[in-house]
Amino acid sequence: MKKRKSSFILFLLALIIWMILSWPPDLEHLIVGIFIAAFVAFMTGDMFVKRPYVFKHLSRYVWFAYYIPVFIWECIKANIDVAYRVSHPNLPINPGIVKVKTSLKSDTGLTFLANSITLTPGTMSVDIDQEKGYLYIHWIDVKETDIQKATEHIVYRFEDILKRIFE
Amino acid sequence: MNEIIGVIFITIGLVFNFFGCLGLVRLPDVYNRLQAATKSVTLGTCSILFGLFLFKGFTAGGIKAILCIGFLILTAPVSAHALARGAHKSGVKLCKGSVCDKYAEDDK
Amino acid sequence: MKILRWLIGLILILGILWVIFFCDMPSLIEWQSNFLKRCFLVLFLCSVFCLWRILRGPSSADRAVAIDILGILVLGFCAILGVATGRSWYIDIGIAWALQSFISTLALAKYLEGRDFDE
């Protein structure tokens, strides 16, 4: 039962992407898309969607809509920061790799956390230790080398929102 | 009106792209270069694609541009992460003025 | 000394930008607007920076980084061509290029890590 549900969700996602790729929607593309999406969903099964019940909660979508503007604003700040550092004659950098702790557990949550850290000001994720919950982060302007304080600086901006979306 | 806003978006994207590639030339080691270039070039190209969407509207090209933005935001940080990890495993050191390297300490 | 090198670089970049924006250059494609043609040339300058890093890079990791960035820049080329010539199939080329570039970057990263490809 659970496997059939996750296959159905994958079928819907594949069909939506197919319809976007062949945009002016008409009947022929729809029929071919149904066959191909059903084939893909049948072959992969529950490899992609492991917990189908998370798609039912409405609050996750609301928090995701709140997460997008926060993310875009951090991206723009990061770009202005990069432009300042690159065009300054003395190159004001102070780089290093620090270690931070996270309490997210699921694969999707960790992926989104690493992506957000990479696209926000001055930080880039280098490796993840999933069992102990550690992230190794390259920081272009190191302010704290301690684990706890670095976590407050880097991770706390996103962790609450991502925990409400993906956990 | 849409076309003027589209041209503004394309110009902003070009400026970000330019600073990202300047960082690729000026910064001292692999990790700094990767950081500056990935951030700036990803957001700059997303801005250019959004300008294309404003030009074309809801036609085939515009919708595909929106799909491309989502794809780029999902994949560019993943490839940066893989490259940084591969560079560290292959033995590239951090540059001279670095403060600390917790990853090399834990890796032993 | 540092300031001197910075000033020389600044003057060079400003000179190239002046040539791009105020001189007429021949082109093979018919452009709908003149400004977009100059935007295309600015992107070309960006990719010349990437090629410089591929040429000079001290280690193979630097070259892999520059190839990854060049793959994202090609998407920008396709988008500007799609706007300026009015043909929307350029963005299809962009999507295919982005997919292929992502996969090849992952393969390069695995090669750098020193593992086999079938792992």
Side-chain angles (χ1 to χ4, degrees):
Chain A
M1 192 58 208
K2 191 186 157 198
K3 192 176 176 186
R4 193 173 298 166
K5 241 182 207 170
S6 48
S7 301
F8 184 68
I9 290 168
L10 186 63
F11 169 74
L12 278 185
L13 287 177
L15 188 61
I16 288 170
I17 290 177
W18 173 271
M19 291 312 286
I20 287 174
L21 274 177
S22 59
W23 169 249
D26 55 3
L27 195 62
E28 297 159 16
H29 280 117
L30 185 68
I31 292 168
V32 177
I34 284 173
F35 275 111
I36 290 177
F39 179 70
V40 168
F42 174 71
M43 287 303 281
T44 51
D46 56 352
M47 215 154 78
F48 285 103
V49 187
K50 291 219 172 68
R51 299 172 300 155
Y53 56 89
V54 300
F55 281 87
K56 269 190 277 184
H57 304 155
L58 191 66
S59 65
R60 293 174 194 269
Y61 297 100
V62 177
W63 279 105
F64 192 69
Y66 170 70
Y67 168 70
I68 290 173
V70 173
F71 178 69
I72 292 175
W73 175 239
E74 293 282 337
C75 265
I76 294 170
K77 269 201 298 188
N79 276 279
I80 293 168
D81 183 60
V82 164
Y84 165 71
R85 281 182 205 284
V86 164
S87 59
H88 199 279
N90 289 330
L91 285 179
I93 59 172
N94 185 22
I97 293 181
V98 297
K99 185 176 171 186
V100 297
K101 194 168 170 48
T102 176
S103 59
L104 292 173
K105 286 284 186 295
S106 66
D107 284 350
T108 326
L110 277 173
T111 311
F112 266 79
L113 182 67
N115 280 6
S116 314
I117 284 171
T118 300
L119 288 179
T120 48
T123 52
M124 177 183 73
S125 57
V126 174
D127 201 356
I128 294 179
D129 189 347
Q130 199 177 1
E131 290 166 6
K132 294 173 192 162
Y134 287 124
L135 285 155
Y136 298 95
I137 285 175
H138 182 264
W139 200 352
I140 206 170
D141 185 14
V142 176
K143 292 176 188 125
E144 307 284 350
T145 54
D146 185 45
I147 292 180
Q148 191 57 39
K149 285 178 182 166
T151 308
E152 280 173 20
H153 264 279
I154 297 171
V155 178
Y156 281 1
R157 286 179 289 195
F158 301 110
E159 204 176 28
D160 287 341
I161 306 174
L162 285 174
K163 197 176 277 178
R164 284 186 178 123
I165 300 173
F166 292 111
E167 290 290 312
Chain B
M1 189 60 200
N2 263 357
E3 298 191 351
I4 297 170
I5 302 174
V7 165
I8 290 172
F9 265 98
I10 288 178
T11 314
I12 292 171
L14 279 175
V15 171
F16 283 154
N17 269 355
F18 181 76
F19 278 115
C21 292
L22 196 63
L24 200 61
V25 174
R26 283 198 73 198
L27 288 173
D29 74 340
V30 181
Y31 308 99
N32 292 319
R33 280 173 202 150
L34 191 54
Q35 203 178 99
T38 304
K39 269 175 209 150
S40 289
V41 172
T42 305
L43 194 75
T45 308
C46 284
S47 177
I48 291 176
L49 285 168
F50 193 72
L52 173 74
F53 170 70
L54 286 179
F55 263 92
K56 300 270 178 184
F58 284 93
T59 57
I63 295 289
K64 276 170 196 164
I66 293 292
L67 186 74
C68 232
I69 289 178
F71 181 75
L72 199 61
I73 284 184
L74 278 182
T75 59
V78 174
S79 61
H81 169 90
L83 276 175
R85 200 181 130 165
H88 206 286
K89 287 260 169 74
S90 79
V92 178
K93 295 278 186 295
L94 271 73
C95 68
K96 215 182 262 175
S98 300
V99 179
C100 58
D101 190 353
K102 294 279 175 66
Y103 188 45
E105 289 168 17
D106 284 6
D107 213 24
K108 278 165 192 167
Chain C
M1 194 59 206
K2 234 177 184 178
I3 294 284
L4 194 67
R5 278 182 66 189
W6 184 76
L7 272 179
I8 291 171
L10 185 71
I11 290 168
L12 260 178
I13 288 171
L14 284 182
I16 294 172
L17 285 180
W18 187 81
V19 169
I20 285 175
F21 277 99
F22 295 105
C23 297
D24 272 330
M25 282 189 224
S27 171
L28 291 177
I29 315 170
E30 281 185 24
W31 296 87
Q32 283 187 352
S33 87
N34 217 3
F35 181 74
L36 285 173
K37 179 184 164 188
R38 307 201 191 288
C39 288
F40 191 80
L41 290 173
V42 173
L43 262 188
F44 200 76
L45 179 63
C46 293
S47 59
V48 167
F49 284 156
C50 283
L51 289 177
W52 170 257
R53 181 48 67 197
I54 291 175
L55 198 69
R56 277 292 303 277
S59 67
S60 53
D62 294 276
R63 298 195 170 97
V65 170
I67 289 169
D68 178 33
I69 299 305
L70 198 58
I72 302 177
L73 279 180
V74 169
L75 198 58
F77 277 117
C78 289
I80 287 186
L81 274 176
V83 172
T85 60
R87 296 172 191 151
S88 64
W89 43 261
Y90 273 110
I91 197 70
D92 295 339
I93 303 174
I95 290 176
W97 188 284
L99 277 165
Q100 183 263 345
S101 159
F102 173 59
I103 293 168
S104 72
T105 304
L106 287 189
L108 276 176
K110 268 205 162 174
Y111 169 72
L112 281 178
E113 221 170 292
R115 282 197 281 170
D116 285 334
F117 287 123
D118 55 350
E119 213 172 305

